[in-house]
Amino acid sequence: MIGAEDLLLQRAQDLLARAEKGEITYTPFLTPGEQARLNRHLTKAMEGAVLWGGYAQAERQRIFFLPPYLTELEPELRATCLAEFYAESVVALEIQGSGYRELSHRDFLGALLHLGVERDRLGDVCVTAPDHAIFFCDRILADFFLEHLERVANDAVRLRYITLPTDFDGGRRFVPVSDTVASPRADAVVAALANLPRERAQSLFTEGKVEIDYELEERTDRTVLAGAVIVIRGYGKFIIRSLSDKTRKGRYRLLADQYV
């Protein structure tokens, strides 16, 4: 039986083959982990590909595989040529609740999926206010939602197309985390982020509960660098902002943000 990663690679290779024959092709909305895996397996092909999820900081993105005549163009001209494809494959819809109930990311996503839509047909779902969200999909699916999505968690909602400001950041919010660690080893960092003893943090690796840069990590001695994204199942998702300065006692100052 073909595994999920093999299937992902096989489908990407099929799209790439079509692109090499002159067709612009694109994937479903991929998770950061899926993007990383394709980048690892298709390094050369990815150099000529374009990722887009509706805004600059999107996590779930589509990969556009371009025919040779487009990869040779200057970036600005290439973007102009792709604008029509972006307009059909990645559009933004706004969901506005009644204002009488606070709605969560889970509420919005659940309502969208409840209509029988697969998760990879949707990009990011960004909760920007207690009763308000913006999400991304293709135009055909957007029209479907406009016609059929009427309620989210029993709250009446309205949908409309929206043009995002250039500085849209997805409405992400963070809680700062700071600590000191004996070394930049992954187990030490995870222990600090999750507020756990070192031994318990090490067991999380063997239990498959730690991802670094969206890849499952088993090496407790891996060196963590600034910019790394760490997901600790059951404890949260973090981005490392700094892990280089030392205290007088020789410990490393850890500065991170936790997604909320």
Side-chain angles (χ1 to χ4, degrees), residues 80-156:
T80 300
C81 295
L82 286 171
E84 180 180 345
F85 288 88
Y86 288 163
E88 294 301 316
S89 59
V90 185
V91 300
L93 280 182
E94 177 186 66
I95 308 178
Q96 179 68 58
S98 67
Y100 294 105
R101 175 169 180 171
E102 184 170 329
L103 300 171
S104 67
H105 180 277
R106 182 175 182 177
D107 292 329
F108 286 113
L109 180 59
L112 294 168
L113 298 182
H114 184 68
L115 292 175
V117 176
E118 296 293 331
R119 182 63 182 92
D120 64 5
R121 295 286 306 279
L122 299 171
D124 288 358
V125 178
C126 308
V127 180
T128 54
D131 66 337
H132 180 276
I134 293 171
F135 71 97
F136 301 85
C137 60
D138 63 41
R139 188 169 298 278
I140 293 175
L141 194 56
D143 290 340
F144 170 81
F145 284 128
L146 285 168
E147 182 178 354
H148 295 286
L149 185 62
E150 298 178 346
R151 308 191 74 82
V152 172
N154 293 323
D155 187 35

Side-chain angles (χ1 to χ4, degrees):
M1 183 175 179
I2 189 170
E5 184 163 342
D6 291 333
L7 183 59
L8 174 70
L9 180 60
Q10 179 180 307
R11 289 175 174 172
Q13 288 172 327
D14 290 343
L15 293 173
L16 182 59
R18 287 163 49 193
E20 291 173 345
K21 294 179 180 179
E23 179 184 355
I24 298 176
T25 61
Y26 50 85
T27 68
F29 289 94
L30 303 179
T31 67
E34 290 169 332
Q35 296 166 39
R37 287 191 283 278
L38 287 185
N39 191 57
R40 185 175 67 246
H41 289 296
L42 302 173
T43 303
K44 186 173 179 59
M46 291 294 287
E47 291 175 358
V50 177
L51 281 74
W52 181 241
Y55 64 107
Q57 299 179 44
E59 291 195 347
R60 289 178 177 263
Q61 301 187 83
R62 301 189 110 144
I63 299 177
F64 291 77
F65 294 109
L66 310 182
Y69 73 87
L70 277 180
T71 60
E72 297 169 359
L73 295 178
E74 294 295 325
E76 290 185 4
L77 182 56
R78 185 169 60 219
T80 300
C81 295
L82 286 171
E84 180 180 345
F85 288 88
Y86 288 163
E88 294 301 316
S89 59
V90 185
V91 300
L93 280 182
E94 177 186 66
I95 308 178
Q96 179 68 58
S98 67
Y100 294 105
R101 175 169 180 171
E102 184 170 329
L103 300 171
S104 67
H105 180 277
R106 182 175 182 177
D107 292 329
F108 286 113
L109 180 59
L112 294 168
L113 298 182
H114 184 68
L115 292 175
V117 176
E118 296 293 331
R119 182 63 182 92
D120 64 5
R121 295 286 306 279
L122 299 171
D124 288 358
V125 178
C126 308
V127 180
T128 54
D131 66 337
H132 180 276
I134 293 171
F135 71 97
F136 301 85
C137 60
D138 63 41
R139 188 169 298 278
I140 293 175
L141 194 56
D143 290 340
F144 170 81
F145 284 128
L146 285 168
E147 182 178 354
H148 295 286
L149 185 62
E150 298 178 346
R151 308 191 74 82
V152 172
N154 293 323
D155 187 35
V157 297
R158 303 187 308 274
L159 275 72
R160 68 183 181 100
Y161 283 104
I162 185 173
T163 299
L164 299 175
T166 56
D167 62 349
F168 180 74
D169 64 359
R172 292 186 179 87
R173 298 294 178 265
F174 302 95
V175 173
V177 177
S178 62
D179 205 339
T180 63
V181 293
S183 78
R185 282 174 49 118
D187 55 354
V189 173
V190 166
L193 294 175
N195 193 26
L196 293 171
R198 185 81 166 265
E199 294 76 13
R200 174 54 186 148
Q202 290 173 340
S203 68
L204 294 177
F205 287 82
T206 59
E207 294 168 10
K209 294 183 177 180
V210 177
E211 292 183 8
I212 298 182
D213 290 333
Y214 303 103
E215 295 284 350
L216 194 65
E217 185 56 73
E218 297 179 350
R219 297 170 296 166
T220 58
D221 62 349
R222 170 174 170 170
T223 298
V224 175
L225 303 175
V229 176
I230 299 180
V231 177
I232 310 169
R233 194 183 309 168
Y235 296 91
K237 177 180 178 180
F238 307 81
I239 182 168
I240 305 302
R241 300 300 186 186
S242 176
L243 187 56
S244 56
D245 296 337
K246 287 187 177 182
T247 67
R248 291 181 178 179
K249 295 183 178 181
R251 292 176 64 84
Y252 289 79
R253 291 188 177 91
L254 169 65
L255 299 177
D257 282 330
Q258 181 176 8
Y259 288 74
V260 296

